[in-house]
Amino acid sequence: QVQVVESGGGLVQPGGSLRLSCVASGITFSRYYMAWYRQAPGKQRELVAAITTFGGTHYADAVKGRFTISRDNGKNTAYLQMNRLRPRDTAVYYCHADPVDKKKYTEYWGQGTQVTVSS
């Protein structure tokens, strides 16, 4: 059974930091691109950051220089380190596992973790 579970969200003041974790079990983690998306109230879900199987990264312009995505294939875990948080970063953050071989494997989403940036 496949499970993708996020953790690490919470309430933080502007300028603060949070580290999100995403544990994906039941899949061959090293065969998946991993990404973080977010969805704020009334807005569409948007890509925040992505990481390839070999560690190449991509960031949305809004988070470049503040957020860092990483992965530990030995722990089946992806991370999102978020620094210098702003109120506009408030959203539900979702982890996405995207298979390299889309003919053989399917994609998976986590349930999301709430991040609230407020004083």
Side-chain angles (χ1 to χ4, degrees), residues 65-85:
R66 300 188 297 122
F67 290 11
T68 303
I69 189 171
S70 60
R71 65 190 295 160
D72 184 335
N73 288 346
K75 294 183 178 179
N76 277 30
T77 303
Y79 303 96
L80 185 67
Q81 177 66 45
M82 305 186 294
N83 298 328
R84 290 186 282 138
L85 282 160

Side-chain angles (χ1 to χ4, degrees), residues 2-3 22 25 27 31 36 39-40 42 44 47 49-50 52 56-57 64-67 76-77 85 92 97 99-100:
V2 176
Q3 283 192 309
C22 168
S25 57
I27 63 172
R31 294 179 181 169
W36 289 94
Q39 187 166 18
Q44 287 191 329
L47 176 67
T52 69
T57 57
K64 274 181 188 173
R66 300 188 297 122
F67 290 11
N76 277 30
T77 303
L85 282 160
V92 178
V100 174

Side-chain angles (χ1 to χ4, degrees), residues 10-18 82-87 89-90 115-119:
L11 172 64
V12 63
Q13 290 190 339
S17 297
L18 282 175
M82 305 186 294
N83 298 328
R84 290 186 282 138
L85 282 160
R86 304 166 179 168
D89 295 318
T90 295
V115 171
T116 303
V117 185
S118 175
S119 53

